[in-house]
C-alpha cells in the first residue's frame, strides 16, 4: 500500500511539473488534460485519481509555476547578497529576465489569463502578487506599501510589454525608462504619517 501511495504521489508530481511548464510556455488555456496525461505516460482516465477537475489542476499548476519562478529568483546572485530594492528592480527589469520567460517570473506571462479564470486560479495569482508587493515593500523599508504597489505594477507591466516588443532597441528603452523611474523610489525619504 505504501508503494502504491508513493507511485501516486510521484505521478501527481510529474503531472504538475509538466502542466506548470506547459502553462508557462503556452498559457493557461493551452492545457489539454488528454495531451498532458499522454505526455507523462498516463491515461486520461487516470487524471481523476489525482484531480477533481481541470480547474483544480490549473490552480495547482499555476501555484507550481509561480513558486518555481520565486525559487529561481531567490537563488539568483542578487538574492544571495540580501536582495536590496535596487538589486531587485535591476534584475527584474533586465534583458536577461525579459529574454527568459520560461524561467523568469511567471506573473507577467500568466496574470492576464488568470484574471479571466476561475476564482481558485485568480486567488493563486493574487496570493503571489501580494507576496511580491510585500517583498518590494520590505526592500523599500516602508510601512505604507503604496510605492511597492506602484513598483510591482510597473515591473510586471514593463516586463510583459518588453517581451511583446521583442529584444530590440524599443524594448531595451522601455526597460531602462521604467527601471530609472523605479530606482528613484529608493532615494526618496519615507513620508511621515500625520496623525
Amino acid at each position: 500500500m505504501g508503494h502504491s501511495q508513493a507511485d501516486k504521489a510521484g505521478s501527481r508530481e510529474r503531472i504538475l511539473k509538466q502542466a506548470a511548464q506547459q502553462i508557462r510556455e503556452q498559457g493557461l488555456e493551452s492545457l489539454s488534460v488528454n495531451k498532458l496525461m499522454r505526455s507523462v505516460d498516463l491515461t486520461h482516465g487516470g487524471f481523476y485519481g489525482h484531480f477533481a477537475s481541470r480547474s483544480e489542476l490549473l490552480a495547482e499548476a499555476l501555484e507550481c509555476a509561480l513558486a518555481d519562478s520565486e525559487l529561481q529568483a531567490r537563488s539568483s546572485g542578487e538574492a544571495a547578497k540580501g536582495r536590496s530594492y535596487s538589486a531587485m528592480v535591476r534584475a527584474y527589469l533586465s534583458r536577461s529576465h525579459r529574454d527568459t520567460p520560461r524561467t523568469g517570473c511567471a506573473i507577467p506571462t500568466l496574470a492576464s489569463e488568470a484574471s479571466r479564470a476561475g476564482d481558485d486560479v485568480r486567488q493563486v495569482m493574487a496570493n503571489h502578487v501580494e507576496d511580491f508587493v510585500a517583498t518590494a515593500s520590505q526592500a523599500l523599508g516602508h510601512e505604507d506599501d503604496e510605492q511597492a504597489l506602484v513598483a510591482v505594477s510597473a515591473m510586471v507591466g514593463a516586463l510583459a510589454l518588453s517581451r511583446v516588443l521583442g529584444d530590440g532597441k524599443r524594448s531595451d528603452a522601455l526597460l531602462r525608462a521604467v527601471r530609472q523611474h523605479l530606482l528613484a523610489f529608493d532615494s526618496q525619504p519615507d513620508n511621515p504619517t500625520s496623525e
Side-chain angles (χ1 to χ4, degrees):
M1 184 159 130
H3 182 65
S4 171
Q5 291 297 330
D7 287 347
K8 185 174 180 178
S11 293
R12 181 182 174 86
E13 183 67 24
R14 285 191 353 253
I15 295 166
L16 281 173
K17 282 186 156 198
Q18 182 65 29
Q21 179 182 344
Q22 183 176 337
I23 65 172
R24 285 186 70 142
E25 293 174 5
Q26 300 170 17
L28 294 170
E29 289 306 312
S30 73
L31 196 61
S32 159
V33 170
N34 193 31
K35 288 179 183 177
L36 172 67
M37 295 303 284
R38 277 189 307 209
S39 74
V40 293
D41 296 323
L42 296 170
T43 65
H44 180 86
F47 170 80
Y48 294 100
H50 298 283
F51 304 96
S53 65
R54 180 178 180 272
S55 180
E56 180 185 337
L57 168 66
L58 282 174
E60 291 191 37
L62 179 60
E63 176 64 40
C64 185
L66 291 165
D68 184 54
S69 66
E70 289 171 8
L71 178 65
Q72 289 185 10
R74 281 193 300 271
S75 66
S76 73
E78 281 81 13
K81 297 179 204 168
R83 195 69 162 181
S84 70
Y85 171 76
S86 62
M88 179 175 61
V89 169
R90 289 177 198 286
Y92 200 91
L93 296 176
S94 67
R95 285 179 180 171
S96 63
H97 192 202
R98 175 197 64 204
D99 297 342
T100 56
R102 289 181 64 197
T103 57
C105 180
I107 293 173
T109 307
L110 299 170
S112 178
E113 282 185 274
S115 72
R116 295 184 304 270
D119 290 342
D120 48 349
V121 172
R122 267 195 315 275
Q123 189 59 55
V124 167
M125 181 62 76
N127 291 343
H128 284 269
V129 169
E130 290 291 354
D131 288 347
F132 192 5
V133 170
T135 299
S137 185
Q138 182 179 16
L140 280 163
H142 294 267
E143 298 261 336
D144 178 10
D145 69 352
E146 187 173 301
Q147 283 187 329
L149 286 166
V150 171
V152 167
S153 298
M155 285 189 280
V156 169
L159 189 63
L161 292 176
S162 72
R163 287 175 176 167
V164 169
L165 293 172
D167 60 3
K169 290 181 182 179
R170 190 68 170 158
S171 178
D172 289 345
L174 173 67
L175 291 175
R176 185 174 44 257
V178 175
R179 188 172 52 239
Q180 288 172 346
H181 282 281
L182 292 181
L183 289 174
F185 285 179
D186 204 20
S187 62
Q188 294 176 0
D190 287 348
N191 294 329
T193 58
S194 56
E195 296 184 334

